Amino acid sequence: MEKVLGLVMTGGGARGAYQAGVLKRLGEIKQLQGSANPFPIIGGASAGAINGSALAMGSDDFPQATKVLAKLWGTLKPSDVFRCDFVSQAHNSLVWILDLSFGGALGGGNARSLLDATPLRHYLRDHLDCSRIQDNIKRGHLYALAISATNYNSGKSYLFIQGQKGHPMWNRSRRVTLATKITVEHVCASAAIPLVFQPVKLETPKGTAFFGDGCLRLQQPLSPVIRLGAEKIVAIGVRCENREHQVDESSQKDPSLAQVMGILFNVMFLDHLATDVEHLERLNQLMRSGQIKHAGVEGYEQMRPLTVLQVTPSANLTEIAARHQKEMPYLIQYFVNSLGRDAASCSDLMSYLLFTPKYTRDLIELGYHDADNRIDEIEDYLFADGGSSKGAGSLRARKSRDAEALQKRARSRRADLLTGFRNRAVIGGALP
């Protein structure tokens, strides 16, 4: 029986260009030419929400959608993402100075972010036609798109889902799911890096709230696509696994603010996906060895083995960013460097903010070559159920069967709820 494929992409600011490179190579797979999207379920957060929405919008022609996405990342400029002019930076700096110096006496809270990301909203509106997402869902090219954002008013993680009628819905402690038509505003909210970009106002069933980066509270990034029915997952991360084996360096200097922010962003954007994949693989081992029973507990959803193919950078993106720091507009470069004692201490932070064409092109090229080096493994994983020898026709037939299977699964879950069962998936760390 063919298994439903899901795609997961997490955040990372400018590091999202790496994901575009991986997707570009996937779009060149021979079996996918002339076919629609091979991933009926797409989940994304932060930069992954941008990439996921672009794929959902172009899911009727996956190869072309990946080419367009890579081209957009390769031509992106800092001024497309945040304001770089002197007036804007001077105003923003003055607001911060007044808040920090006189906020206690005069009333503070006026500073919203270090940078003004208003241009990003305009850029995405020009290049993302979110109305096409629903069209592709109706035509069977997509089952569901799920993007995450963090509600700053309540502190809860919100998952916005646009999918076929009857798709699964669930709520957990500090986690809320909403079925809605995803717009550019939702994407901007998911990509609003905390402290760096201003929060985005969204309407919810309970009223207006302000949202920020989806990775902030998304500790199990595989969870949304699993709950939506994915049985095989391709996860594209932006953390270099080779870096984990480096020897710790000693230093007598206190860490700069830029270093601390860089580490915080690494924890938020990089660590959760790797940890979730490790946890899921461990649970699969326990199920295979018989230490955990698939049947689970009465009243809970049956456990099932899940496989994940993770693609991550083969090179340290921080080191690549260090080579491109001088390409940043002078005012932004001066501002970021003021948070660190030297360029090296700002490299981690810069790797998320360096929206310059040369840097993003390097990441696209790296992602493309990393996927190319593993293309046989990736093809085997994508088409292990027999789709590889039958081309686009088989993929379209499989997508139709996948949609039917997902709808049946969703109806079964609703039936469980009506009989009083707690619809809670026991997938350990992969499902909260």
Side-chain angles (χ1 to χ4, degrees):
M1 179 179 177
E2 295 171 351
K3 296 182 178 180
V4 180
L5 278 167
L7 176 66
V8 173
M9 293 177 288
T10 52
R15 292 184 179 219
Y18 175 83
Q19 298 171 344
V22 173
L23 291 169
K24 181 181 179 182
R25 181 61 185 92
L26 296 187
E28 294 177 359
I29 293 176
K30 183 178 179 180
Q31 292 90 335
L32 296 179
Q33 300 310 304
S35 69
N37 170 36
F39 303 104
I41 300 173
I42 299 175
S46 195
I50 296 175
N51 293 334
S53 298
L55 284 186
M57 182 189 71
S59 57
D60 55 331
D61 189 346
F62 181 75
Q64 180 63 20
T66 60
K67 290 179 183 178
V68 171
L69 182 61
K71 183 178 180 180
L72 290 176
W73 274 103
T75 57
L76 194 64
K77 305 184 299 296
S79 58
D80 293 327
V81 181
F82 45 77
R83 288 179 175 165
C84 306
D85 59 282
F86 175 79
V87 173
S88 175
Q89 288 304 305
H91 176 267
N92 208 32
S93 298
L94 180 60
V95 172
W96 275 93
I97 291 172
L98 291 175
D99 268 5
L100 294 174
S101 302
F102 307 106
L106 303 178
N110 298 304
R112 302 180 63 204
S113 59
L114 297 176
L115 299 173
D116 183 352
T118 301
L120 177 62
R121 180 180 290 105
H122 299 309
Y123 185 83
L124 292 179
R125 283 176 178 169
D126 290 340
H127 295 93
L128 287 182
D129 182 5
C130 291
S131 64
R132 292 181 58 191
I133 297 174
Q134 188 60 35
D135 291 339
N136 286 323
I137 291 173
K138 289 180 179 178
R139 294 162 62 188
H141 299 309
L142 180 71
Y143 178 73
L145 168 67
I147 66 174
S148 303
T150 303
N151 187 325
Y152 285 142
N153 297 87
S154 67
K156 294 182 179 181
S157 176
Y158 272 61
L159 186 69
F160 300 101
I161 304 174
Q162 184 172 356
Q164 290 188 10
K165 185 177 180 180
H167 65 74
M169 295 290 292
W170 64 94
N171 287 312
R172 293 291 175 266
S173 175
R174 314 302 295 173
R175 297 170 181 84
V176 179
T177 57
L178 289 178
T180 185
K181 286 189 176 181
I182 290 175
T183 66
V184 167
E185 298 302 315
H186 293 97
V187 179
C188 288
S190 182
I193 302 174
L195 299 179
V196 179
F197 297 159
Q198 67 267 32
V200 177
K201 183 169 65 174
L202 296 176
E203 293 295 331
T204 72
K206 295 185 178 181
T208 300
F210 286 88
F211 288 80
D213 202 287
C215 287
L216 193 57
R217 290 192 64 96
L218 187 64
Q219 297 181 351
Q220 292 87 26
L222 301 179
S223 172
V225 297
I226 294 174
R227 288 186 179 277
L228 285 168
E231 298 165 293
K232 294 171 61 175
I233 302 169
V234 174
I236 308 177
V238 291
R239 181 178 80 165
C240 175
E241 299 299 328
N242 295 336
R243 192 178 183 186
E244 300 304 306
H245 304 292
Q246 294 180 355
V247 178
D248 290 342
E249 299 179 359
S250 60
S251 175
Q252 299 298 322
K253 297 180 179 179
D254 291 335
S256 65
L257 184 57
Q259 282 179 282
V260 174
M261 289 183 66
I263 295 298
L264 287 174
F265 286 173
N266 287 345
V267 172
M268 183 175 71
F269 291 125
L270 311 184
D271 293 348
H272 293 163
L273 177 61
T275 302
D276 207 16
V277 170
E278 289 174 0
H279 201 160
L280 185 59
E281 290 175 346
R282 176 57 178 160
L283 285 173
N284 284 336
Q285 292 174 359
L286 292 174
M287 280 189 280
R288 284 193 294 268
S289 65
Q291 298 182 54
I292 295 181
K293 295 182 179 180
H294 293 210
V297 181
E298 183 180 359
Y300 288 75
E301 186 177 341
Q302 181 178 357
M303 295 181 65
R304 64 187 190 276
L306 299 165
T307 59
V308 180
L309 175 67
Q310 188 177 12
V311 182
T312 56
S314 59
N316 188 351
L317 303 192
T318 297
E319 294 176 358
I320 297 176
R323 300 197 297 266
H324 292 279
Q325 285 196 40
K326 292 185 178 179
E327 299 163 13
M328 197 72 137
Y330 176 76
L331 286 174
I332 305 299
Q333 187 181 156
Y334 179 83
F335 174 75
V336 175
N337 287 341
S338 68
L339 301 177
R341 61 177 57 90
D342 51 38
S345 66
C346 299
S347 295
D348 265 330
L349 179 59
M350 273 291 197
S351 71
Y352 298 101
L353 306 180
L354 203 58
F355 295 94
T356 61
K358 290 183 179 180
Y359 175 63
T360 56
R361 286 171 191 163
D362 276 359
L363 298 195
I364 292 170
E365 183 178 355
L366 177 63
Y368 184 94
H369 286 297
D370 284 348
D372 189 57
N373 290 336
R374 299 178 59 187
I375 199 62
D376 291 339
E377 177 189 359
I378 293 172
E379 288 184 1
D380 288 343
Y381 186 79
L382 292 179
F383 306 112
D385 300 311
S388 59
S389 62
K390 300 179 183 179
S394 174
L395 282 173
R396 284 191 290 270
R398 187 192 75 184
K399 290 162 71 64
S400 177
R401 291 193 297 271
D402 287 348
E404 293 177 2
L406 288 166
Q407 289 174 347
K408 288 180 181 179
R409 189 175 300 154
R411 288 194 294 269
S412 176
R413 288 183 179 181
R414 289 198 301 274
D416 286 346
L417 286 173
L418 291 174
T419 56
F421 289 141
R422 296 173 57 200
N423 184 23
R424 176 182 177 185
V426 189
I427 310 294
L431 287 181

